[in-house]
Amino acid sequence: MARTSKSASSSATGKGAATSAAERTHTNASASSLALWLGWATLLVVADQFTKTLILGAYRLGDATYVTSFFNVVRAHNTGAAFSFLADAGGWQRWGFTAFGLVAALFIIWQLRQHAQQRLFAFSLASILGGALGNVIDRLLHGYVVDFLDFHWSGYHFPAFNLADSAITVGAVCLIVDELLRVRRTSS
């Protein structure tokens, strides 16, 4: 209601048309930015699911292919969270982590709608969104997340992971960088 009266008073001074045109331009820019970030998240989901489909078709659980002295391609199933946290929790975690992933996705989409013009922040959120949805799809389809990237050194193996996990990690790092840059700008 206040918007209407503001537009009406602005129209009397000739500023109403310019204000509404500026608002439409901002809305269009925000919508196209949002579409860009949702497109990035979708691309990550598609790439993640494509690579996992290749692994499921070519490998049996536990199979591994030596690639370099520090990297193997494997097929591993993770019923838990990161680093197999709660993997042996009895089965509830499939639905718990799926629900958490979906709630997080809704929150991220809401944040993207609010901040689509903030490039690093939006890139971070869209990367996390794509990764989260990639792993949610695995949990819904298989009851576990398919992992296949196995890095190791001197007998120590980092827990196997996938493209979705990589997207989440890159997004989280970029989110931290974005926050540090924001704090630096506001303190100057």
Side-chain angles (χ1 to χ4, degrees), residues 22-86:
E23 287 175 357
R24 278 194 306 273
T25 301
H26 177 72
T27 301
N28 291 343
S30 293
S32 65
S33 292
L34 178 61
L36 172 73
W37 300 123
L38 293 177
W40 173 244
T42 301
L43 180 67
L44 291 171
V45 170
V46 169
D48 175 65
Q49 289 300 302
F50 177 72
T51 56
K52 289 173 179 174
T53 298
L54 292 175
I55 293 299
L56 289 170
Y59 288 79
R60 288 176 298 192
L61 181 61
D63 284 353
T65 300
Y66 172 89
V67 178
T68 70
S69 62
F70 61 89
F71 174 66
N72 299 327
V73 174
V74 300
R75 178 173 168 181
H77 297 171
N78 182 359
T79 57
F83 308 113
S84 296
F85 176 67
L86 295 176

